[in-house]
Amino acid sequence: MFITFEGIEGSGKSSVLDRVQEHLVAQGYDVLRTREPGGSRLGVELRRILLAVDNADLTAEAELFLYLADRAQHVGTVIRPALAAGRVVLCDRYADSTVAYQGYGRGLDPALLHTLNDEAVRGLWPDLTLLFDLPAEQGLRRALTRNLREGTHQTEGRFEAEALAFHETVREGYLTRAALYNKRFRVVDASKPLAAVVAQALEIVGQNLRKRPESAQGPAPRTLEPKP
Ligand code: TYD
């Protein structure tokens, strides 16, 4: 079973992921938690390049192909082997991030980006995608508070420096995709307090695991998404 967590900056998805991971491990699932960019050995290097504030001059196209390279390597060396071993894979961001940020956000063609992603991952789309949705203004406020607390603002978070309008466009892009691919997407209201968001996420994940008990043991189904 392959589950991805998506949302704009400050949507709380990584905190929710912590709780979902704990819960599934406690229930006896064999869980692999991973993330993009940076989920493979090569990806760790690509992540540094992609998120460095001094790489602000990367072109949208160069950025796109670095994210796709990160994903192709991640799928080939980490995600597919884990799914083949029957593990539940929880991934913090995946292909929908590229369509939302590089497509809707940066202005590259979302339909083309969907197709390029499909190539990069050879048709491996998630069984379930949780979209943590909230107004960009609220998300950015949360992200800023986190950065000030953790002192990460100078080294990471190139996208957090983008204007509010950019993040609103990314949010709309995500919602458009959630409507287009409504079989695998579930939208969670992330403006609520964390406990409520966690409860909703756990309920959705639980329902999906019960629906597909076989995929907790065998290889995950290969889902070929229709082109938009
Ligand atoms: P990260 O520090 O993981 O932030 P977050 O906690 O918000 O996930 O940074 C990931 C950044 O990379 C985030 O700003 C979104 C961006 N991104 C893309 O633009 N395209 C992609 O395909 C992916 C995977 C991430």
Side-chain angles (χ1 to χ4, degrees), residues 11-138:
S11 60
K13 65 183 165 44
S14 308
S15 311
V16 180
L17 225 165
D18 291 342
R19 305 287 297 279
V20 171
Q21 179 183 10
E22 278 168 22
H23 186 82
L24 293 185
V25 168
Q27 289 200 325
Y29 285 97
D30 184 3
V31 176
L32 171 76
R33 179 192 180 152
T34 184
R35 70 169 175 180
E36 292 191 354
S40 66
R41 199 169 50 81
L42 171 71
V44 172
E45 292 180 46
L46 293 176
R47 179 182 177 91
R48 191 187 50 73
I49 294 168
L50 279 162
L51 300 185
V53 176
D54 42 341
N55 278 340
D57 66 340
L58 270 184
T59 68
E61 293 77 8
E63 180 183 85
L64 165 69
F65 284 101
L66 288 172
Y67 276 115
L68 292 174
D70 172 71
R71 183 159 306 121
Q73 186 71 11
H74 189 206
V75 166
T77 64
V78 177
I79 297 179
R80 273 193 196 281
L83 291 173
R87 305 182 73 185
V88 175
V89 175
L90 305 177
C91 189
D92 194 341
R93 299 193 179 281
Y94 190 63
D96 297 302
S97 279
T98 303
V99 184
Y101 281 81
Q102 281 64 53
Y104 291 95
R106 294 274 194 237
L108 300 178
D109 176 8
L112 173 64
L113 265 50
H114 182 94
T115 305
L116 290 175
N117 269 292
D118 197 39
E119 266 319 302
V121 304
R122 293 187 168 266
L124 183 76
W125 290 87
D127 299 299
L128 173 66
T129 298
L130 295 174
L131 171 58
F132 296 91
D133 177 60
L134 82 176
E137 201 182 344
Q138 191 183 350

